[in-house]
Amino acid sequence: MKPMYKKMMKLALMSMVTGGLMLTGPLGFAAPEKPQVHVDSATKDMPGHVDSKVLTVPVTTTEIGLISNVVYEQVPSRGYPNVPMQMDILQPKTQQKKPAIVFVTGGGFINANKDNGLQLRMHLAEHGYVVGSINYRVAPTARFPEPLEDVKAAIRYLKANADRFGIDPARVGIVGGSAGGYLTAMAGTTSGTKTFDKGENLQVTSDVKAAVDLYGLSDLTQVGADFSADVQARHRSAGATEALWVNGSPVFGGRDGGILADKQAADAANPIHYISKTSAPMLLMHGTADTIVSPSQTDLLFQALQQKGIPSERYLVTGAGHGGKYWVQEPVLKIITDFFDHYLK
């Protein structure tokens, strides 16, 4: 090696060392050492200096990041050829791959606000889950099974983008309340099949390992079964949202009449109809003071799951209504989290 070249190499190495780099081998350099902090050195000698209080904090809570309005599919909706369906993702900031949970909001079949369920979603995220809260198409501009197709598309999207969001695609669950609980039950009972898989990311499955149905519907012909005769009559009317969900609007090609107008279509929209040996384990919970969806709805599904040998549990929450404060209490959140931990961790 020529003397001049040796001298240039020596100067380059000295420059790297003084710049905070240390040679680690022929393949590259290590990161700079963490700089030292001499706390309050600029003020410690001031006349009359007052010491600050020192707080030592044990790090036990995971930091959570939010990714808003992620488009998981684009679908036609009446009057529009290409409507984006979106999800908000809560992402624990850890290095290892994490299980994921899709949260499906309720809304009486006629709206789907993905902002709902924040305390449940944060609780799950803080316990190590990537949580995607979705919107989906609703009645009367959409009818079954289009909203279920959206739910399954969201599951597939998270699996197809597992590396991007730090997800283990083999460990995905689903949870929802009310209409979202119903869609969760539909996704759980049809897990392990291609039924209702339509749209994007079909190279992955929409299977889930566990499903949590909170005060959801099952047999749409009996939504008011635990209520008064007057309430039951309203549920049989053409204006009931479960009728619009199944029949659509007669003005735009749907069937006129209530939920009983097309018994075959109503049966096809019942998660009990799809229970098989590949259905996902399911946790069901319902409030004893629910005046919107009969508690019998989750019991009908629970009994059917039990008869088919699908691992399942059901809890009645004393005094709880349809949503509300009971559903964000620690005992309820713990049961939900423990169930997911059992099947996804």
Side-chain angles (χ1 to χ4, degrees):
M1 185 178 293
K2 294 181 179 180
M4 181 61 70
Y5 183 73
K6 286 182 178 180
K7 185 176 181 180
M8 290 175 64
M9 286 294 293
K10 185 176 180 180
L11 288 172
L13 288 171
M14 289 178 64
S15 176
M16 290 177 182
V17 171
T18 56
L21 295 173
M22 184 174 65
L23 191 64
T24 61
L27 297 181
F29 297 89
E33 291 184 9
K34 186 176 181 179
Q36 292 185 343
V37 178
H38 303 286
V39 177
D40 294 349
S41 60
T43 58
K44 66 184 180 65
D45 295 328
M46 284 183 174
H49 180 271
V50 179
D51 289 337
S52 299
K53 295 179 180 179
V54 176
L55 179 64
T56 301
V57 179
V59 179
T60 59
T61 301
T62 302
E63 185 181 3
I64 308 298
L66 170 64
I67 309 172
S68 300
N69 301 322
V70 176
V71 175
Y72 68 85
E73 68 169 353
Q74 297 194 68
V75 290
S77 185
R78 186 165 190 87
Y80 302 92
N82 212 37
V83 177
M85 294 290 107
Q86 298 179 328
M87 72 167 71
D88 292 341
I89 297 175
L90 293 176
Q91 185 180 41
K93 294 188 176 181
T94 59
Q95 293 300 315
Q96 67 270 25
K97 292 290 184 73
K98 298 163 284 293
I101 296 172
V102 174
F103 174 79
V104 189
T105 185
F109 294 140
I110 56 175
N111 58 64
N113 184 355
K114 61 183 172 60
D115 293 346
N116 293 333
L118 182 58
Q119 286 168 281
L120 171 58
R121 291 190 281 135
M122 277 297 297
H123 184 86
L124 291 169
E126 288 173 350
H127 283 77
Y129 293 94
V130 175
V131 183
S133 179
I134 68 169
N135 61 12
Y136 52 88
R137 287 171 286 181
V138 294
T141 54
R143 56 175 161 170
F144 182 86
E146 290 170 333
L148 179 56
E149 293 168 0
D150 297 340
V151 171
K152 286 179 169 278
I155 296 168
R156 295 195 309 273
Y157 177 85
L158 288 178
K159 289 184 179 182
N161 292 274
D163 289 342
R164 176 182 174 189
F165 299 115
I167 293 169
D168 178 354
R171 295 184 291 155
V172 177
I174 187 168
V175 59
S178 192
Y182 161 83
L183 287 166
T184 290
M186 288 294 304
T189 55
T190 59
S191 184
T193 75
K194 295 290 187 183
T195 309
F196 306 116
D197 272 311
K198 181 180 178 181
E200 303 168 23
N201 298 308
L202 293 173
Q203 75 279 11
V204 295
T205 74
S206 60
D207 298 353
V208 291
K209 296 291 186 183
V212 176
D213 174 358
L214 306 176
Y215 44 89
L217 305 91
S218 55
D219 185 346
L220 301 183
T221 69
Q222 302 186 62
V223 176
D226 295 331
F227 307 143
S228 67
D230 177 59
V231 172
Q232 291 186 44
R234 289 183 220 165
H235 279 286
R236 290 192 295 270
S237 73
T241 54
E242 62 264 34
L244 295 173
W245 182 259
V246 172
N247 300 330
S249 168
V251 175
F252 297 107
R255 180 183 289 272
D256 197 9
I259 190 62
L260 296 174
D262 189 339
K263 185 64 165 57
Q264 185 176 0
D267 288 343
N270 186 341
I272 295 171
H273 184 73
Y274 300 95
I275 298 173
S276 73
K277 64 181 181 180
T278 65
S279 295
M282 194 173 301
L283 168 66
L284 305 101
M285 304 182 80
H286 218 122
T288 61
D290 193 330
T291 59
I292 305 298
V293 172
S294 295
S296 291
Q297 287 286 291
T298 50
D299 198 32
L300 285 167
L301 178 54
F302 175 61
Q303 299 304 325
L305 291 166
Q306 287 285 301
Q307 289 170 16
K308 294 292 181 68
I310 305 302
S312 51
E313 304 173 40
R314 181 174 182 259
Y315 287 83
L316 285 170
V317 182
T318 304
H322 196 72
K325 59 187 178 182
Y326 280 87
W327 298 101
V328 298
Q329 303 307 313
E330 180 60 30
V332 172
L333 298 177
K334 185 177 188 305
I335 287 172
I336 295 169
T337 305
D338 286 351
F339 182 81
F340 280 130
D341 286 351
H342 179 74
Y343 289 102
L344 300 181
K345 288 188 176 179

